[in-house]
Amino acid sequence: MFISSQSSTPVFKDLTLVMPAVAVGNVGQLAVDLIISTLNVRRVGYLHTDCLIPMAGNNPYATCKDDAEELHTAAEVYAAPELKLAILQIRAPIVKPKSKRFRQLLLSWIKSSGFSRTVVLSSSHAYQRDDQQLQGTPLRYLITPSLLKASADALKELGWKEMEKVPPCLGHSDANTEPRLVVPGGGITKGLFTDSCTEEVRLAVLLIFCSEGNNIPDAFTLLNHLNDWLHLLDSPKHEANNWKIPASWSLLFGSGIPPALF
């Protein structure tokens, strides 16, 4: 699944992997863009799989004309060993019938690579929150039991809110009335988390409740939340200006109005 772009295969053992889930508002992907652009992390390879819709384009993090025409693909891996950090950026939707297979391939790669922990940045539909989820911050987290053992003290100090389980909808045909975990609009988030619990993978999910639209502020909020834990950037708390916006964001909402219209 992983193909190195270097002459030798990179070593990921004991690095922290940060990756997005393709979810509502693409918040996780936007946050990962900011990390790669700000830290100037080097690309070390890509994931080759038929589970993602194929795509290719110019370098989204171009800083000059010389590197603007580099070819980039749907799922790429970046690494900064000096920061103990690896990043997976996913730029294309997952083929729906192959969602489960993609999760399995992803977890297999994560386990074989020896990452110390994996952090998934995701989002969920704000309009589908229940009453308890409407209170306080829109940010939530999930963590597998295997990672909780090592991170319980840090999470307690941060004072984060865990994603609440919600009761089944009224009139639901399922006889089980126990509260359950749902992440509407979260793509593979719930499935990946559940699989990680079963396979004892050290994984955490950070997500934000949001709506489709201009989700740049949501990306900054989620990324600053992550930074409080991982300290990727030593800067005053919650200052969005410390993150570098990539060149590709200039076309986030399309190009300008064609002069020929007038």
Side-chain angles (χ1 to χ4, degrees):
M1 186 182 185
F2 173 77
I3 299 176
S4 175
S5 59
Q6 303 175 318
S7 55
S8 59
T9 303
V11 177
F12 297 123
K13 185 172 176 57
D14 297 330
L15 301 188
T16 294
L17 174 66
V18 177
M19 60 166 286
V22 182
V24 55
N26 303 109
V27 179
Q29 294 156 293
L30 293 172
V32 168
D33 263 355
L34 289 168
I35 297 173
I36 295 171
S37 180
T38 303
L39 301 181
N40 196 25
V41 190
R42 184 167 49 93
R43 181 175 57 171
V44 294
Y46 60 94
L47 301 187
H48 178 68
T49 172
D50 61 357
C51 298
L52 295 173
I53 294 176
M55 61 81 63
N58 291 345
N59 184 3
Y61 314 115
T63 56
C64 61
K65 289 184 179 180
D66 293 338
D67 64 1
E69 295 181 359
E70 288 181 0
L71 187 66
H72 286 250
T73 58
E76 295 184 318
V77 181
Y78 299 76
E82 69 280 5
L83 300 175
K84 291 287 185 180
L85 179 68
I87 301 167
L88 167 63
Q89 176 62 299
I90 301 174
R91 302 189 177 95
I94 299 168
V95 179
K96 286 188 177 181
K98 298 181 179 181
S99 177
K100 183 177 180 180
R101 180 163 171 259
F102 181 67
R103 297 198 316 262
Q104 293 170 340
L105 289 171
L106 199 54
L107 285 179
S108 176
W109 174 64
I110 288 172
K111 289 193 292 185
S112 64
S113 297
F115 294 112
S116 63
R117 59 188 169 183
T118 298
V119 182
V120 179
L121 302 180
S122 186
S123 50
S124 183
H125 283 303
Y127 74 90
Q128 288 191 251
R129 288 175 291 177
D130 76 345
D131 290 346
Q132 60 182 334
Q133 292 172 338
L134 289 167
Q135 302 175 25
T137 175
L139 295 156
R140 295 292 188 275
Y141 79 91
L142 293 164
I143 191 165
T144 60
S146 55
L147 181 55
L148 180 60
K149 295 176 184 177
S151 306
D153 292 341
L155 292 173
K156 184 177 180 180
E157 183 179 342
L158 289 166
W160 287 357
K161 292 189 71 172
E162 189 171 5
M163 185 68 167
E164 301 90 344
K165 293 184 177 180
V166 299
C169 297
L170 292 176
H172 197 278
S173 59
D174 190 349
N176 182 14
T177 57
E178 290 294 320
R180 56 188 178 178
L181 176 66
V182 294
V183 188
I188 65 169
T189 301
K190 178 188 172 182
L192 188 61
F193 173 73
T194 304
D195 292 346
S196 297
C197 289
T198 302
E199 299 188 31
E200 298 184 349
V201 174
R202 295 160 60 92
L203 180 141
V205 175
L206 301 188
L207 65 84
I208 185 170
F209 294 115
C210 68
S211 302
E212 290 281 3
N214 180 359
N215 296 103
I216 291 176
D218 298 314
F220 279 118
T221 299
L222 185 62
L223 183 51
N224 282 316
H225 196 57
L226 173 70
N227 196 52
D228 290 342
W229 182 23
L230 300 188
H231 305 291
L232 301 173
L233 192 65
D234 292 327
S235 62
K237 193 175 182 180
H238 303 315
E239 284 194 11
N241 292 335
N242 291 303
W243 300 104
K244 180 183 176 183
I245 294 176
S248 56
W249 282 24
S250 62
L251 299 175
L252 203 57
F253 301 103
S255 56
I257 300 173
L261 288 176
F262 307 97

